Amino acid sequence: MANEQLSPARPWLLDAVPLMVVLLIAAHVFALVYWIYRLATEKQPQRRKAH
């Protein structure tokens, strides 16, 4: 038991970094999907042929 060493305490910020990366990726994917949806559903102006 005397030879056991406690692992050094990691700062909570280092534990949160992978979660933050996942959240940022998810937010960007959501924004991209929403942007494509908006482009696909916006009403196009009527084109008139001027002769």
Side-chain angles (χ1 to χ4, degrees):
M1 280 210 229
N3 291 339
E4 287 183 22
Q5 290 184 350
L6 295 174
S7 61
R10 291 174 54 191
W12 65 269
L13 189 61
L14 288 180
D15 291 334
V17 167
L19 178 64
M20 293 301 248
V21 169
V22 170
L23 288 177
L24 277 173
I25 292 172
H28 281 82
V29 169
F30 178 76
L32 180 65
V33 169
Y34 179 69
W35 177 63
I36 292 172
Y37 168 77
R38 287 287 305 264
L39 281 178
T41 59
E42 73 180 8
K43 296 202 176 219
Q44 300 292 327
Q46 291 291 332
R47 289 187 167 186
R48 293 182 180 166
K49 292 186 177 179
H51 291 292

